[in-house]
Structures are given as C-alpha cells and as structure tokens.
Amino acid sequence: MPDVEMKPADVKPVKETEEKKEESKPAPLSPLAEIKSNVVLIDRAVTTLEPRFTHRVLRTLTALRKRIDNSVLRNAVESLYPKDHSIKKTLLAWLPTGPSSSDQAMDVDSSARPSHHELVPEAEIYLRLLILYHLLASEDTQEKALELANQTAEKMQAINRRSMDAIAAKIWYAVDRAYELAGELSDARPMFLAAQRTASLRHDDEAQAALINCLLRSYINYNLYDQADKLVSKTTFPPSASNSQFSRYHYYLGRIRAVQLNYTEAHTNLQQAIRRAPPAKTAPGFYQEVHKYFVVVELLMGDIPDRSLFRHVVLEKALNAYFEIVKAVRTGSLAQFQSTLSKHAAQFEEDHTYTLIIRLRQNVIKTGIRRLSLSYSRISLRDICVKLHLDSEEDAEYIVGKAIRDGVIEGRIVHEKGWMECGTQKNAYGPEVSEVFGRRIAFCLDLHNQSVKAMRYPLNAHRKELAAAEGAREREKELAKEIQDGDLDDEDLGPDF
C-alpha cells in the first residue's frame, strides 16, 4: 500500500491575524464624543438610580482632561444645550471666545448623542468640572478658575442631590486645588469644615473622605500638625472610600505621625499609602512623594531601605539625594552626612523633609559607635571623638552612655581611664525577635482581612447551595424509606452505593 502524503494544515500567517486584531479594535472616541457619551451615562445613572454609571464616567476623567481644549468644551456645551438656554450662556461665559471646530463636531458617534429632553443638574456640574480643570491647567486662567470653583461649590450645595455625591467629591478636590494655586488655601478652610459637617450628617462618604483629605492638606501645608491630629482624632474616615482617597489619607497620617516621633505608626501608614496608591506610571508625583517620606521614616526607625527601591524607573532620579543620605547613615560617617545635607538642603526644604533628616544625625552617630564597638574591644573617648567628628570628649562620653543605655551596643565606660570597653554582642534570639514576628503576623492578618472585605460576592448565592443541600437530604430520606419498606434491592442501588 503506497504511503499517503499528509498535507500540512492551512496555517494563517501571523501578519494576517495581527491585522485582523487591529481591525477588530474599536477606534478611540474623540474628546467631544466622549463628553457626550459621559453625559448620557450620567443621565442614565440618575434615572435608574445606579451610581456605577457615574463612577464609570469619573474613571475616565484623568485621561479626558488632558485631551480637552477650548474648542472641545465650547462644542460640547453648544451641542448639549439648546439655543438661548440660560445654563449654556453661563458655561460659555467661562470659556474664551473662538471658532468652533466643525471637524470635531462631525466625528461624533450617533449612539452617544443625548436626547433632546432637559439635562439633569449632574450633567451641568460635570461640565463645570471639566471647565474648571481646563482653567487650572494654565497660569493665566487660575484666577478665573477660583471664581468658577466658588460658584460651582455654592450651586452644588444649593441643589443638594444624593445622585451628585460622586461628582461632588471631585468638585471639592478641584476647589482645594484652585485655592492652593491662588495661594489662599487657608481661606477655604471654613468652607471645607462646614461642608465636612454637612457631608457627615448626610452620610455622604465620598464627599466626606475628599473633604477630610483637603483639610489635612491645608493644615499640613501651614505646619499645623496639632490641629491636623485633632481633626484625625475627632473624625472617622469612611471605610467605603475609594483607594485613592485612602491612599492620600494614609500619606497625610504618616506625615503627622512622623513629626510626632511615632515612627512605627508613620511607617505603617506610609506602607498602606504605597499599597493603595495608583500605579507608579499613572501618578508618578504622588508615588515619589510617599517614597521620600517612607525612606526617611525607615532610616529614623534604624532600618536601611532596600537598594532595589532606588533603582525603580520612576524613583531613581527623584530619590537620588535620599540615596546619598542612606549611604551616609549606613556607613556611620558624620562628615559625609553633613556634606550631603548641605549639598541637597534646598531639595529637602522643598520636599518638607529637612526637619526629619536633621534628626538622622543621632542615627549616624549610633551607627558609627556600633561599627567601632565591633572593631575594637577597647577604644578611648578621644579616638571616638576624632573618628566620629564630634566637638568634644564630653559629647562623646554622653553619646556613648546613651547608646549603652538604649541597648545599641554592649559595653561600659571607664571614666577614670577615659575609654570604652566593648562587651560581647547580644544573642540574636530573644524577645525582640518575637516582637518582630508578632508585627509581621499582625500585618499579614490585617492584609488578609482587608482582602476578604474587598471581595465581591453574588447576591443570594448561598440560597442555591441551601436548596441543593435540602434536595439531597430529601432524596436520601426517600431512598432510606424505600429500603426500609423493601421496595429496593441491593442490585437496584448499583455498585457505587
């Protein structure tokens, strides 16, 4: 029998499949079409009482506000409102006059075209939010943005609709940003406090979370850490707040605790802020800011940050000065620490970490003393003073005595002969190790609990399982009854019974 030649199966070229995939991808909407589509979603959220549509609109806000300009906003307002409408005139008054772009008006999906009925007030507030972000992007229109922010906040509070809560949280952040760019952040504090009380009474969790963060930002900006701590103690941050709001709250809380010398709690809050923060490439500024404080707090706790942290693409350039501080603390060189501090003092002042970094001087000295205790069994106070660049032997004696009392080194000071005798090193196992393991276990349990709370379960899923279990029990009872009555034999039951 002759061999049959097997023909290879038809294999589609890779290029053809890739071209088909590219063709199947829908073309991205233009900014004008996206605004109209978002207005339709907001209207649906109000009519159906489904806030998820509003949240879907707000998720696109970060990318959309980078693509809008005067012509896009003007065309959106003119197409959404009929001619001679009062709201239309009010919104167009905030935009500079200019020719409308007919090209963008033509590139609109017909399915995203809103109906001709009156738009809901939430749509107007959303358009005001877009205009406000556009005005804040330019230094020439920041004063105009402040006027629009005040007017929008007053109108939003006068309307008072629960379907506006998600947009209101974004509005309050934009108002805070407008006051900050105008240099009048303290003037907005009474308005934020009144709005926070109102949001708390109305159980408006989203606006309440945004307002608490705005108030903490205002207090910290003016170094009012005591008032910020009182606000934290008197308020309860809503547990249903978004991850971005939680991240900001933990960041501010970490800064407050670091100033209050509570480094352990500050380290925990900054860790939570990093975990809950948006991806590094999405929000690089916030990611860098949190890590600057995280590195300093970790040094103040006596730990050395991981070297891979300073090789991160987003953090490498921003943490260059802090990496030099870490090297000075790690080697225990007081001269290197002082030179690095004076070299990058301007950057530390700008980052508001200068006062915290000054506290690291004691850590540098302790590290140097620990290295000396490992190298020498006995060393004079004069040599300690020279090696650590201290002012006098009295300072060296005081610092060594404090290090011995705090348990940094094992040894004793011989005052008569003016030297320090170093003892044997402490055992690596003891209560300190159990405390470290206890903190790690507590962190893992807390992470597990938060992960369980974040899971979403289908409604009434347990009822199906209960019904199935009840049906199985009924079948077992019927089967047992038939066996007792003698209606079934062993052969009828089958071999698996």
Side-chain angles (χ1 to χ4, degrees), residues 35 47 74 154 170 203 210 230 233 238 309 330 367 412-413 419 428:
I35 292 174
T47 54
R74 178 171 289 276
E154 292 174 2
K170 298 290 184 181
H203 300 284
K230 289 179 182 178
S233 62
L309 180 67
R330 184 175 177 273
T367 305
R412 67 188 186 94
I413 300 176
W419 66 53

PDB file of all heavy atoms in Angstrom, residues 35 47 74 154 170 203 210 230 233 238 309 330 367 412-413 419 428:
ATOM      1  N   ILE A  35     -17.244  63.172  25.799  1.00  0.00           N
ATOM      2  CA  ILE A  35     -18.010  64.014  26.730  1.00  0.00           C
ATOM      3  C   ILE A  35     -19.497  63.756  26.569  1.00  0.00           C
ATOM      4  O   ILE A  35     -20.243  63.618  27.550  1.00  0.00           O
ATOM      5  CB  ILE A  35     -17.669  65.497  26.498  1.00  0.00           C
ATOM      6  CG1 ILE A  35     -16.225  65.788  26.914  1.00  0.00           C
ATOM      7  CG2 ILE A  35     -18.624  66.398  27.281  1.00  0.00           C
ATOM      8  CD1 ILE A  35     -15.763  67.191  26.598  1.00  0.00           C
ATOM      9  N   THR A  47     -31.525  58.473  36.296  1.00  0.00           N
ATOM     10  CA  THR A  47     -32.855  57.913  36.060  1.00  0.00           C
ATOM     11  C   THR A  47     -33.001  56.503  36.623  1.00  0.00           C
ATOM     12  O   THR A  47     -34.070  56.137  37.108  1.00  0.00           O
ATOM     13  CB  THR A  47     -33.153  57.901  34.549  1.00  0.00           C
ATOM     14  OG1 THR A  47     -32.087  57.219  33.859  1.00  0.00           O
ATOM     15  CG2 THR A  47     -33.265  59.323  34.018  1.00  0.00           C
ATOM     16  N   ARG A  74     -16.310  74.128  24.164  1.00  0.00           N
ATOM     17  CA  ARG A  74     -17.330  75.008  23.585  1.00  0.00           C
ATOM     18  C   ARG A  74     -18.286  74.207  22.704  1.00  0.00           C
ATOM     19  O   ARG A  74     -19.514  74.382  22.789  1.00  0.00           O
ATOM     20  CB  ARG A  74     -16.639  76.117  22.793  1.00  0.00           C
ATOM     21  CG  ARG A  74     -17.582  77.089  22.100  1.00  0.00           C
ATOM     22  CD  ARG A  74     -16.826  78.266  21.544  1.00  0.00           C
ATOM     23  NE  ARG A  74     -16.373  79.115  22.624  1.00  0.00           N
ATOM     24  CZ  ARG A  74     -17.122  80.051  23.210  1.00  0.00           C
ATOM     25  NH1 ARG A  74     -18.371  80.230  22.825  1.00  0.00           N
ATOM     26  NH2 ARG A  74     -16.637  80.781  24.172  1.00  0.00           N
ATOM     27  N   GLU A 154     -21.084  76.618  45.511  1.00  0.00           N
ATOM     28  CA  GLU A 154     -22.349  77.162  46.015  1.00  0.00           C
ATOM     29  C   GLU A 154     -23.549  76.533  45.305  1.00  0.00           C
ATOM     30  O   GLU A 154     -24.556  76.188  45.949  1.00  0.00           O
ATOM     31  CB  GLU A 154     -22.357  78.682  45.825  1.00  0.00           C
ATOM     32  CG  GLU A 154     -21.347  79.419  46.700  1.00  0.00           C
ATOM     33  CD  GLU A 154     -21.297  80.892  46.382  1.00  0.00           C
ATOM     34  OE1 GLU A 154     -22.082  81.334  45.505  1.00  0.00           O
ATOM     35  OE2 GLU A 154     -20.488  81.615  47.006  1.00  0.00           O
ATOM     36  N   LYS A 170     -15.171  65.052  43.529  1.00  0.00           N
ATOM     37  CA  LYS A 170     -14.200  65.592  42.575  1.00  0.00           C
ATOM     38  C   LYS A 170     -14.215  67.115  42.565  1.00  0.00           C
ATOM     39  O   LYS A 170     -13.171  67.767  42.412  1.00  0.00           O
ATOM     40  CB  LYS A 170     -14.495  65.054  41.174  1.00  0.00           C
ATOM     41  CG  LYS A 170     -14.391  63.540  41.038  1.00  0.00           C
ATOM     42  CD  LYS A 170     -12.952  63.096  41.141  1.00  0.00           C
ATOM     43  CE  LYS A 170     -12.818  61.599  40.913  1.00  0.00           C
ATOM     44  NZ  LYS A 170     -11.431  61.131  41.019  1.00  0.00           N
ATOM     45  N   HIS A 203     -24.391  61.418  55.581  1.00  0.00           N
ATOM     46  CA  HIS A 203     -23.757  60.125  55.295  1.00  0.00           C
ATOM     47  C   HIS A 203     -23.231  60.071  53.860  1.00  0.00           C
ATOM     48  O   HIS A 203     -23.312  59.021  53.193  1.00  0.00           O
ATOM     49  CB  HIS A 203     -24.731  58.973  55.553  1.00  0.00           C
ATOM     50  CG  HIS A 203     -25.222  58.906  56.973  1.00  0.00           C
ATOM     51  ND1 HIS A 203     -24.441  58.427  57.999  1.00  0.00           N
ATOM     52  CD2 HIS A 203     -26.396  59.300  57.529  1.00  0.00           C
ATOM     53  CE1 HIS A 203     -25.125  58.510  59.135  1.00  0.00           C
ATOM     54  NE2 HIS A 203     -26.304  59.039  58.885  1.00  0.00           N
ATOM     55  N   ALA A 210     -13.144  63.104  50.720  1.00  0.00           N
ATOM     56  CA  ALA A 210     -12.412  64.131  49.980  1.00  0.00           C
ATOM     57  C   ALA A 210     -12.186  65.370  50.838  1.00  0.00           C
ATOM     58  O   ALA A 210     -11.103  65.973  50.804  1.00  0.00           O
ATOM     59  CB  ALA A 210     -13.180  64.498  48.704  1.00  0.00           C
ATOM     60  N   LYS A 230      -5.837  66.680  65.805  1.00  0.00           N
ATOM     61  CA  LYS A 230      -7.163  66.780  66.430  1.00  0.00           C
ATOM     62  C   LYS A 230      -8.264  66.430  65.444  1.00  0.00           C
ATOM     63  O   LYS A 230      -9.262  65.792  65.813  1.00  0.00           O
ATOM     64  CB  LYS A 230      -7.364  68.201  66.966  1.00  0.00           C
ATOM     65  CG  LYS A 230      -6.506  68.531  68.184  1.00  0.00           C
ATOM     66  CD  LYS A 230      -6.729  69.956  68.642  1.00  0.00           C
ATOM     67  CE  LYS A 230      -5.831  70.290  69.844  1.00  0.00           C
ATOM     68  NZ  LYS A 230      -5.992  71.701  70.281  1.00  0.00           N
ATOM     69  N   SER A 233      -8.416  62.693  65.168  1.00  0.00           N
ATOM     70  CA  SER A 233      -8.983  62.066  66.365  1.00  0.00           C
ATOM     71  C   SER A 233     -10.486  62.310  66.496  1.00  0.00           C
ATOM     72  O   SER A 233     -11.198  61.489  67.084  1.00  0.00           O
ATOM     73  CB  SER A 233      -8.267  62.578  67.613  1.00  0.00           C
ATOM     74  OG  SER A 233      -8.438  63.977  67.758  1.00  0.00           O
ATOM     75  N   PRO A 238     -14.358  57.446  56.284  1.00  0.00           N
ATOM     76  CA  PRO A 238     -15.342  56.462  55.803  1.00  0.00           C
ATOM     77  C   PRO A 238     -14.663  55.193  55.287  1.00  0.00           C
ATOM     78  O   PRO A 238     -13.760  55.252  54.452  1.00  0.00           O
ATOM     79  CB  PRO A 238     -16.046  57.208  54.660  1.00  0.00           C
ATOM     80  CG  PRO A 238     -15.773  58.645  54.889  1.00  0.00           C
ATOM     81  CD  PRO A 238     -14.444  58.716  55.555  1.00  0.00           C
ATOM     82  N   LEU A 309      14.896  49.642  45.692  1.00  0.00           N
ATOM     83  CA  LEU A 309      13.933  50.739  45.692  1.00  0.00           C
ATOM     84  C   LEU A 309      14.472  51.944  44.919  1.00  0.00           C
ATOM     85  O   LEU A 309      13.718  52.635  44.225  1.00  0.00           O
ATOM     86  CB  LEU A 309      13.615  51.133  47.138  1.00  0.00           C
ATOM     87  CG  LEU A 309      12.627  52.278  47.355  1.00  0.00           C
ATOM     88  CD1 LEU A 309      11.235  51.871  46.896  1.00  0.00           C
ATOM     89  CD2 LEU A 309      12.596  52.689  48.820  1.00  0.00           C
ATOM     90  N   ARG A 330      24.307  54.531  56.564  1.00  0.00           N
ATOM     91  CA  ARG A 330      24.737  53.132  56.601  1.00  0.00           C
ATOM     92  C   ARG A 330      26.204  52.999  57.002  1.00  0.00           C
ATOM     93  O   ARG A 330      26.579  52.090  57.754  1.00  0.00           O
ATOM     94  CB  ARG A 330      24.513  52.503  55.219  1.00  0.00           C
ATOM     95  CG  ARG A 330      24.819  51.029  55.136  1.00  0.00           C
ATOM     96  CD  ARG A 330      24.447  50.485  53.774  1.00  0.00           C
ATOM     97  NE  ARG A 330      24.804  49.081  53.659  1.00  0.00           N
ATOM     98  CZ  ARG A 330      25.985  48.630  53.272  1.00  0.00           C
ATOM     99  NH1 ARG A 330      26.949  49.499  52.955  1.00  0.00           N
ATOM    100  NH2 ARG A 330      26.224  47.339  53.201  1.00  0.00           N
ATOM    101  N   THR A 367      25.200  54.546  64.528  1.00  0.00           N
ATOM    102  CA  THR A 367      25.755  53.561  63.587  1.00  0.00           C
ATOM    103  C   THR A 367      27.274  53.545  63.650  1.00  0.00           C
ATOM    104  O   THR A 367      27.916  52.484  63.634  1.00  0.00           O
ATOM    105  CB  THR A 367      25.295  53.882  62.161  1.00  0.00           C
ATOM    106  OG1 THR A 367      23.861  53.950  62.129  1.00  0.00           O
ATOM    107  CG2 THR A 367      25.768  52.816  61.181  1.00  0.00           C
ATOM    108  N   ARG A 412      30.827  49.212  78.512  1.00  0.00           N
ATOM    109  CA  ARG A 412      30.790  50.115  79.664  1.00  0.00           C
ATOM    110  C   ARG A 412      31.880  51.168  79.492  1.00  0.00           C
ATOM    111  O   ARG A 412      32.859  50.979  78.762  1.00  0.00           O
ATOM    112  CB  ARG A 412      30.998  49.348  80.977  1.00  0.00           C
ATOM    113  CG  ARG A 412      32.373  48.744  81.140  1.00  0.00           C
ATOM    114  CD  ARG A 412      32.429  47.843  82.363  1.00  0.00           C
ATOM    115  NE  ARG A 412      33.800  47.362  82.610  1.00  0.00           N
ATOM    116  CZ  ARG A 412      34.659  47.954  83.421  1.00  0.00           C
ATOM    117  NH1 ARG A 412      34.297  49.061  84.080  1.00  0.00           N
ATOM    118  NH2 ARG A 412      35.886  47.469  83.614  1.00  0.00           N
ATOM    119  N   ILE A 413      31.694  52.307  80.163  1.00  0.00           N
ATOM    120  CA  ILE A 413      32.639  53.413  80.091  1.00  0.00           C
ATOM    121  C   ILE A 413      33.494  53.407  81.362  1.00  0.00           C
ATOM    122  O   ILE A 413      32.960  53.384  82.479  1.00  0.00           O
ATOM    123  CB  ILE A 413      31.913  54.760  79.941  1.00  0.00           C
ATOM    124  CG1 ILE A 413      31.063  54.781  78.662  1.00  0.00           C
ATOM    125  CG2 ILE A 413      32.906  55.914  79.918  1.00  0.00           C
ATOM    126  CD1 ILE A 413      30.243  56.034  78.499  1.00  0.00           C
ATOM    127  N   TRP A 419      38.186  55.573  78.568  1.00  0.00           N
ATOM    128  CA  TRP A 419      37.943  54.740  77.386  1.00  0.00           C
ATOM    129  C   TRP A 419      36.645  53.955  77.535  1.00  0.00           C
ATOM    130  O   TRP A 419      36.034  53.923  78.621  1.00  0.00           O
ATOM    131  CB  TRP A 419      39.129  53.822  77.099  1.00  0.00           C
ATOM    132  CG  TRP A 419      39.420  52.747  78.136  1.00  0.00           C
ATOM    133  CD1 TRP A 419      38.568  51.828  78.642  1.00  0.00           C
ATOM    134  CD2 TRP A 419      40.678  52.485  78.759  1.00  0.00           C
ATOM    135  NE1 TRP A 419      39.177  50.994  79.539  1.00  0.00           N
ATOM    136  CE2 TRP A 419      40.496  51.378  79.629  1.00  0.00           C
ATOM    137  CE3 TRP A 419      41.944  53.057  78.670  1.00  0.00           C
ATOM    138  CZ2 TRP A 419      41.522  50.854  80.420  1.00  0.00           C
ATOM    139  CZ3 TRP A 419      42.954  52.515  79.435  1.00  0.00           C
ATOM    140  CH2 TRP A 419      42.747  51.436  80.308  1.00  0.00           C
ATOM    141  N   ALA A 428      21.179  36.759  69.133  1.00  0.00           N
ATOM    142  CA  ALA A 428      20.256  37.136  68.065  1.00  0.00           C
ATOM    143  C   ALA A 428      18.824  36.716  68.356  1.00  0.00           C
ATOM    144  O   ALA A 428      17.907  37.186  67.685  1.00  0.00           O
ATOM    145  CB  ALA A 428      20.706  36.526  66.749  1.00  0.00           C
TER     146      ALA A 428
END
